């Protein structure tokens, strides 16, 4: 739903300190970035998720500049005891927690992949019987997926919009912007968690193709995520009675590539965490001064 940042005129008294109009560059920037993130296609690959995180960082940079405007500070500081102020601070803390936990999930996922790569390299492609190594990875991944689904559910449930107790149009405009930013940020984190906690339905369907051709067909690639395709490769490797060196090299190459992509997302989340911390500090400074 589109958000309007127009400031309603109050005919009862002068509004010399009202917020900048919608044409103000900072307001335009926030609005355009929000619109871009809302209309962007569902991110299902690590590359698209990384691009979406980059756009989210740009949004939060613009938001912090918006919070530094004197008019924005005045609108918020006039309502120090308003319930919506508490909700805005709670929202900034929720986003920090969600970002930090999501970053930790990606870190744990990457560590699981590194351990698996280490185990596979020790086999040197000359031994069969990789059941224990791959099963251990799948078990760790399953535990991690359960944790991410719970976190994703918590993010959805905890999001709440600030409620104004008066009709201050300046405050309404600021709160509207902050609530919309919180909402879209939560949605991006949910997409990241969904990427990690994929079900194995698609993986199983790809496995049948892998057993026939020993490689993922073009038909199968379009229906599965990178993680599901990697799972399918591992299931085939686990089931192989005679593991070829080239087969092992292919799997290791895939794991290395996926680990690198996950590390990039992890680094983007770390940068995002710093932006969210900066926003929270800005809000606390406004409310405490």
């Amino acid at each position: 739903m589109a958000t309007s940042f127009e400031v309603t005129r109050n005919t009862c008294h002068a509004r010399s300190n009202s917020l900048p109009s919608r044409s103000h560059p900072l307001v335009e920037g926030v609005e355009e970035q929000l619109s871009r993130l809302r209309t962007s296609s569902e991110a299902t690959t690590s590359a698209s998720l990384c691009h979406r995180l980059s756009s989210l960082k740009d949004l939060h940079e613009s938001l912090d500049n918006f919070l530094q405007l004197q008019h924005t500070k005045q609108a918020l500081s006039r309502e120090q005891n308003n319930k919506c102020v508490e909700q805005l601070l709670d929202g900034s803390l929720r986003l920090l927690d969600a970002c930090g936990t999501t970053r930790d999930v990606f870190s744990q996922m990457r560590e699981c992949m590194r351990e698996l790569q280490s185990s596979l390299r020790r086999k040197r492609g000359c031994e069969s019987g990789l059941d224990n190594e791959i099963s251990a990875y799948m078990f760790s991944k399953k535990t991690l997926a359960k944790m991410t689904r719970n976190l994703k559910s918590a993010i959805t449930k905890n999001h709440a919009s600030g409620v104004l107790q008066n009709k201050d149009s300046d405050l309404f405009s600021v709160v509207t912007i902050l609530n919309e930013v919180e909402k879209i940020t939560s949605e991006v984190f949910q997409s990241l968690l969904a990427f990690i906690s994929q079900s194995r339905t698609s993986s199983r369907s790809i496995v049948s193709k892998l057993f026939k051709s020993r490689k993922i067909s073009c038909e199968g690639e379009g229906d599965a995520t990178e993680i599901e395709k990697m799972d399918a490769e591992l299931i085939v490797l686990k089931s192989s009675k005679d593991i070829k060196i080239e087969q092992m090299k292919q799997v290791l190459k895939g794991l290395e590539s996926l680990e690198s992509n996950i590390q990039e997302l992890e680094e983007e989340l770390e940068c995002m965490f710093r932006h969210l911390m900066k926003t929270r500090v800005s809000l606390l400074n406004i409310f405490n001064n």
Side-chain angles (χ1 to χ4, degrees):
M1 180 175 66
T3 301
S4 173
F5 302 132
E6 296 279 8
V7 177
T8 304
R9 294 187 179 278
N10 190 323
T11 57
C12 297
H13 60 282
R15 303 292 298 185
S16 60
N17 65 337
S18 60
L19 284 169
S21 68
R22 186 176 179 177
S23 62
H24 190 284
L26 287 178
V27 179
E28 279 187 336
V30 173
E31 184 177 27
E32 288 172 4
Q33 287 158 348
L34 275 168
S35 178
R36 193 178 303 121
L37 279 163
R38 286 195 208 96
T39 57
S40 61
S41 58
E42 185 68 22
T44 56
T45 66
S46 58
S48 60
L49 284 168
C50 200
H51 178 74
R52 207 156 191 237
L53 266 177
S54 180
S55 297
L56 190 64
K57 285 192 302 180
D58 292 341
L59 170 62
H60 279 268
E61 284 179 4
S62 297
L63 177 68
D64 193 67
N65 291 330
F66 175 75
L67 289 174
Q68 301 311 313
L69 289 174
Q70 190 61 32
H71 296 306
T72 306
K73 293 179 180 179
Q74 289 174 352
L76 289 171
S77 62
R78 284 199 303 269
E79 299 296 331
Q80 292 184 18
N81 298 317
N82 197 294
K83 184 178 179 180
C84 78
V85 167
E86 296 179 9
Q87 291 178 328
L88 289 175
L89 287 174
D90 288 345
S92 69
L93 185 59
R94 281 195 300 270
L95 290 180
L96 264 177
D97 289 342
C99 184
T101 307
T102 303
R103 176 198 57 198
D104 293 344
V105 165
F106 274 77
S107 178
Q108 290 178 51
M109 179 67 178
R110 188 163 59 87
E111 185 59 31
C112 288
M113 299 189 78
R114 287 181 117 181
E115 290 179 1
L116 177 60
Q117 289 176 70
S118 179
S119 296
L120 294 182
R121 288 192 183 99
R122 286 198 297 271
K123 291 290 186 178
R124 300 180 182 277
C126 299
E127 300 177 35
S128 58
L130 294 172
D131 184 79
N132 290 337
E133 289 80 2
I134 296 177
S135 292
Y137 167 76
M138 291 296 187
F139 179 79
S140 297
K141 189 169 167 292
K142 183 178 180 181
T143 302
L144 200 58
K146 182 178 180 180
M147 185 175 77
T148 59
R149 285 192 292 271
N150 291 337
L151 176 60
K152 186 172 179 285
S153 176
I155 291 174
T156 304
K157 184 173 69 173
N158 288 334
H159 173 72
S161 298
V163 178
L164 292 176
Q165 302 300 317
N166 58 40
K167 297 182 180 180
D168 187 315
S169 59
D170 286 356
L171 184 62
F172 179 82
S173 297
V174 175
V175 170
T176 298
I177 293 173
L178 289 169
N179 282 336
E180 286 298 310
V181 171
E182 180 187 347
K183 180 180 178 182
I184 200 70
T185 304
S186 297
E187 289 174 358
V188 172
F189 291 156
Q190 290 173 51
S191 296
L192 286 160
L193 292 168
F195 174 75
I196 287 290
S197 61
Q198 295 291 340
S199 70
R200 293 178 62 188
T201 303
S202 297
S203 299
R204 286 194 295 268
S205 67
I206 298 173
V207 167
S208 61
K209 296 181 176 66
L210 284 167
F211 272 120
K212 293 176 182 178
S213 62
R214 292 298 172 185
K215 64 180 180 179
I216 300 175
S217 67
C218 294
E219 179 184 356
E221 284 188 6
D223 300 325
T225 67
E226 297 154 79
I227 291 179
E228 287 172 330
K229 285 183 277 189
M230 193 68 255
D231 282 357
E233 290 277 10
L234 289 170
I235 291 171
V236 171
L237 185 66
K238 177 182 175 182
S239 304
S240 299
K241 294 181 179 180
D242 182 20
I243 299 173
K244 306 298 183 183
I245 293 178
E246 286 305 314
Q247 183 184 4
M248 180 73 82
K249 284 182 178 179
Q250 180 183 338
V251 171
L252 283 170
K253 183 178 179 180
L255 284 169
E256 289 169 5
S257 176
L258 184 54
E259 183 201 342
S260 177
N261 293 340
I262 289 175
Q263 181 175 1
E264 186 176 3
L265 286 168
E266 184 186 344
E267 290 169 354
E268 289 288 335
L269 281 165
E270 176 61 33
C271 187
M272 190 69 243
F273 186 87
R274 292 195 294 270
H275 278 291
L276 291 170
M277 179 63 76
K278 187 177 180 181
T279 299
R280 179 164 175 79
V281 169
S282 294
L283 287 171
L284 288 170
N285 287 338
I286 292 171
F287 297 141
N288 290 332
N289 290 335

